[in-house]
Amino acid sequence: MQDGTPLVKTTGRGQNVLYKGMYLYSTIDPEGSVTERVGRFSVRENTLIFIPSPALGYGIKRLIDKIPGNTYILCVEADQALMRLFIDQTITDIPSDRRLSVIRTDNPSQAVNFIKNIGIDHIRRLEPLYLSRGYHLCRQTYDAVQQALEDAIQSYWQNRITLINMNTLWIKNIIDNLQYIKHCGSTDSIVIDKPILIIGAGPSLEDNIGIIKKFRKYFVIISVDTALPVLGTVGIKPDFIFTLDAQIGNFADFIPYRFPDAILITDITVNPVLFREINFKAVFLYHSSFAALSLFKRMKSFNLLPYPIPPLGSVGAAAVYTALHISSGPVFLAGLDFSYPKEKTHANDSTFYRLMIINSSRLSPLASSSKKAIMQRPLRNIKIQNNIDIKSDLVLNTYARELNEILKTQNRVFNLSHEHSPLLAPFVSSGIELKNVLAHSKTGNGNDSFPEQKSMDFSQENIKRFLDNELTILSKSSEYISHYLNSLRSERIKEMNRIKENVKVLDYIYAGFPDSDADMFAETSFLKRLLLSVHYYTNRIYRVRKSI
């Protein structure tokens, strides 16, 4: 026998497998021990049961009989020889079932793509079930696959909950902002031939102020909005301001200091007050694709959809992504911590820090307020390079993980912040190292002139035509839904087909409904909420159309 070939051995209580010097099942009762484990296994609805290395497939048939109809089984085999054994030995023993999938991969991304094809919206959680010792042969691989699957499920539901909470505000802001965009450009028309420094408001920014001032002339500075009060306090003027947040509270970052010579790069979903109340040298738009909505296809057809970027959630991550696409030189990061260095959430003089000062008192000093703000978050310890633990939380870790997916394909991003960072960017620890990186950069010496603002033809005429088209679609939907709700039951089937056909192009009006992924049109309560939403957006679009 060779260690590279699985050897099946027959015992009095089922078959066992000897592979790479290890029996994959109990030597006393191979099949019975697995059956007993499956019997003890507690199964919940909407669960993905992850089985690493199914080997001979013991227990799978019983598990299929046991699980609810909306629970799925994913068996992953990382070893080619064991996958061949599974196919040869179990092809007739395990029944075909839509809830069972078996794949051969050692790539976590392939496993994630597989469950996305199944429909990740039906899965709420993952439960691992170890049915053979084959798991120990590729333990790191299976752990990585499990972590990737858990992260994908978590990320989907975080995004789904965010969409439920924010969809109405995002769409409202897009509609309102159409009256202001005629003088804006699209972010992809910016070209920067100079090293870029992206500044966030993390606590580590306090330690970077000196080196930023010393090397200021070598950089184009892109400041995220939360860092503006910090930069204003120390006298650093950014070249670009990058903003993402659609909520009105974000406006507080712009109040202490104004930078009229700065260029604004903003999501089209930003709160309209930013266009109305603050002057910038120029404004460039991008579009964070928070959902695959038909609205965006129509905006594109009317030449109104600006440069698209993926939905990264964090303004810092979005700024890094954008910087990498509008330049070809090195990109440096400062204050993008995605963790809690110094037991703080933000740098001194940031809006959040100033609010803590305002709310502090003799009985609630500043230090305890900062600690309390951290403790209120879903904290977790994150392992980074050299097996070091840092303190972060569920949301920040998700942002860091998504940004790292971008950084791991780049070799021109450098971190000035601190060596204990969760980001996959080399740490530049001194001015000498920074000078060396700058000396070897392929960018020009960087004159401080920026390209003239180009328009995507965000013309008044295109905006008017788009709004008129939306009003027509909404009017038809209102008519069809109202007629359905007031009609006899015998007439409703025909009306329902008309509603579905018309409303599917208005998915933005119900994308934020908690039940928007279900068979929602069958419910009268859903249609009543849909009609209210149609009226809300009709009034909103009509007011904007009237103002143009």
Side-chain angles (χ1 to χ4, degrees):
M1 182 210 61
Q2 295 181 351
D3 279 353
T5 304
L7 179 64
V8 178
K9 292 197 170 189
T10 302
T11 71
R13 297 186 176 182
Q15 294 179 320
N16 207 336
V17 179
L18 181 61
Y19 185 47
K20 296 187 177 179
M22 176 191 297
Y23 280 101
L24 301 190
Y25 294 104
S26 165
T27 55
I28 299 173
D29 189 358
E31 187 171 4
S33 61
V34 175
T35 303
E36 183 182 346
R37 185 177 306 156
V38 171
R40 294 194 308 265
F41 185 69
S42 178
V43 183
R44 293 185 286 176
E45 294 185 346
N46 300 112
T47 298
L48 177 68
I49 301 173
F50 171 59
I51 301 177
S53 191
L56 294 176
Y58 289 156
I60 293 178
K61 185 176 183 301
R62 180 172 181 183
L63 189 62
I64 292 173
D65 295 336
K66 182 178 180 177
I67 63 175
N70 54 7
T71 288
Y72 298 86
I73 303 170
L74 177 63
C75 302
V76 175
E77 183 53 73
D79 188 287
Q80 184 64 49
L82 288 179
M83 186 65 184
R84 172 53 55 189
L85 177 70
F86 176 84
I87 294 172
D88 292 342
Q89 295 289 325
T90 67
I91 195 68
T92 58
D93 297 336
I94 299 177
S96 176
D97 193 289
R98 65 173 183 81
R99 298 167 297 169
L100 171 65
S101 301
V102 183
I103 62 173
R104 212 304 293 173
T105 185
D106 55 5
N107 187 331
S109 297
Q110 288 181 358
V112 169
N113 290 335
F114 189 85
I115 67 165
K116 286 181 178 178
N117 292 333
I118 291 174
I120 199 169
D121 54 316
H122 301 301
I123 300 169
R124 297 295 179 91
R125 65 192 65 83
L126 180 145
E127 294 285 352
L129 179 59
Y130 307 101
L131 300 183
S132 85
R133 294 188 185 123
Y135 161 76
H136 297 285
L137 297 174
C138 303
R139 184 168 188 161
Q140 286 186 328
T141 297
Y142 291 126
D143 286 348
V145 170
Q146 179 178 336
Q147 186 64 57
L149 292 171
E150 289 176 337
D151 290 345
I153 295 168
Q154 173 191 300
S155 179
Y156 172 83
W157 286 108
Q158 279 183 346
N159 293 338
R160 183 74 188 99
I161 292 168
T162 300
L163 185 63
I164 291 170
N165 289 325
M166 298 294 293
N167 179 75
T168 300
L169 179 61
W170 285 333
I171 300 299
K172 178 189 78 69
N173 285 354
I174 289 174
I175 293 168
D176 289 354
N177 287 337
L178 290 176
Q179 59 194 304
Y180 305 114
I181 69 171
K182 64 178 181 178
H183 298 301
C184 298
S186 184
T187 299
D188 54 341
S189 65
I190 302 172
V191 179
I192 297 177
D193 183 30
K194 192 174 180 179
I196 293 176
L197 172 61
I198 299 173
I199 301 179
S204 67
L205 177 59
E206 300 163 16
D207 301 326
N208 293 145
I209 296 299
I211 199 168
I212 292 172
K213 284 186 171 182
K214 182 176 180 180
F215 289 87
R216 172 64 181 93
K217 66 179 181 180
Y218 298 101
F219 296 119
V220 167
I221 290 182
I222 300 178
S223 171
V224 305
D225 45 18
T226 50
L228 292 178
V230 184
L231 298 186
T233 300
V234 298
I236 296 174
K237 294 182 179 181
D239 301 298
F240 291 84
I241 297 170
F242 196 98
T243 187
L244 171 70
D245 203 323
Q247 300 178 87
I248 187 63
N250 188 57
F251 185 61
D253 295 320
F254 293 84
I255 292 175
Y257 299 93
R258 301 294 173 95
F259 300 96
D261 295 328
I263 297 172
L264 178 69
I265 302 177
T266 181
D267 195 314
I268 196 171
T269 64
V270 74
N271 195 284
V273 72
L274 204 58
F275 290 102
R276 294 197 304 262
E277 303 298 334
I278 302 182
N279 294 321
F280 301 96
K281 181 179 179 181
V283 178
F284 289 86
L285 303 175
Y286 65 91
H287 156 57
S288 182
S289 311
F290 58 85
L293 300 178
S294 299
L295 174 73
F296 300 140
K297 294 179 181 179
R298 291 194 295 281
M299 288 180 66
K300 187 174 182 180
S301 70
F302 284 94
N303 208 27
L304 297 176
L305 191 69
Y307 171 65
I309 71 171
L312 298 169
S314 159
V315 62
V320 175
Y321 177 92
T322 302
L324 289 169
H325 285 75
I326 61 177
S327 73
S328 57
V331 175
F332 297 88
L333 314 179
L336 295 181
D337 296 329
F338 299 101
S339 59
Y340 298 119
K342 305 181 179 182
E343 297 287 324
K344 292 169 63 177
T345 59
H346 293 75
N348 292 350
D349 294 311
S350 64
T351 301
F352 187 84
Y353 184 82
R354 292 182 183 206
L355 287 173
M356 284 200 303
I357 293 176
I358 292 171
N359 294 324
S360 64
S361 65
R362 182 170 59 86
L363 298 178
S364 180
L366 184 61
S368 67
S369 298
S370 179
K371 191 105 175 175
K372 184 178 179 181
I374 294 174
M375 296 305 294
Q376 288 176 338
R377 305 187 181 200
L379 295 177
R380 58 166 55 180
N381 287 326
I382 307 298
K383 284 197 180 297
I384 59 171
Q385 300 92 329
N386 302 321
N387 211 31
I388 295 172
D389 281 337
I390 63 170
K391 186 176 290 184
S392 184
D393 66 40
L394 196 63
V395 176
L396 290 181
N397 185 49
T398 299
Y399 293 158
R401 192 171 63 241
E402 290 179 346
L403 180 53
N404 280 335
E405 286 297 309
I406 298 168
L407 296 181
K408 70 184 183 182
T409 63
Q410 301 289 333
N411 60 1
R412 59 187 179 99
V413 181
F414 303 89
N415 199 347
L416 301 181
S417 296
H418 57 96
E419 57 186 326
H420 296 158
S421 169
L423 299 182
L424 300 177
F427 174 54
V428 178
S429 61
S430 66
I432 296 175
E433 282 189 38
L434 177 57
K435 190 176 290 186
N436 185 52
V437 175
L438 291 171
H440 288 85
S441 69
K442 296 180 180 180
T443 52
N445 291 328
N447 56 45
D448 290 328
S449 63
F450 299 110
E452 290 296 320
Q453 186 165 337
K454 291 185 189 177
S455 172
M456 269 190 66
D457 193 23
F458 296 143
S459 68
Q460 290 279 69
E461 189 59 35
N462 283 349
I463 296 169
K464 289 177 182 179
R465 287 170 52 229
F466 169 75
L467 293 174
D468 289 340
N469 184 63
E470 289 303 301
L471 287 171
T472 300
I473 300 172
L474 286 163
S475 177
K476 286 183 179 179
S477 296
S478 176
E479 177 188 342
Y480 295 159
I481 297 170
S482 297
H483 192 273
Y484 175 89
L485 292 173
N486 294 319
S487 64
L488 298 173
R489 289 186 180 275
S490 58
E491 301 174 354
R492 285 187 171 184
I493 295 177
K494 181 180 177 181
E495 294 293 331
M496 178 56 69
N497 292 332
R498 285 206 307 174
I499 290 173
K500 287 183 177 180
E501 189 65 29
N502 190 256
V503 172
K504 71 180 182 182
V505 300
L506 288 174
D507 45 7
Y508 67 89
I509 69 175
Y510 59 85
F513 289 6
D515 50 353
S516 63
D517 291 331
D519 186 16
M520 53 268 185
F521 290 99
E523 299 292 333
T524 301
S525 63
F526 180 89
L527 290 174
K528 289 180 178 179
R529 283 181 285 135
L530 194 65
L531 186 59
L532 289 173
S533 189
V534 167
H535 290 164
Y536 171 81
Y537 285 112
T538 299
N539 293 333
R540 175 69 59 178
I541 292 174
Y542 178 76
R543 285 200 297 269
V544 173
R545 176 64 179 88
K546 195 175 179 181
S547 70
I548 297 176

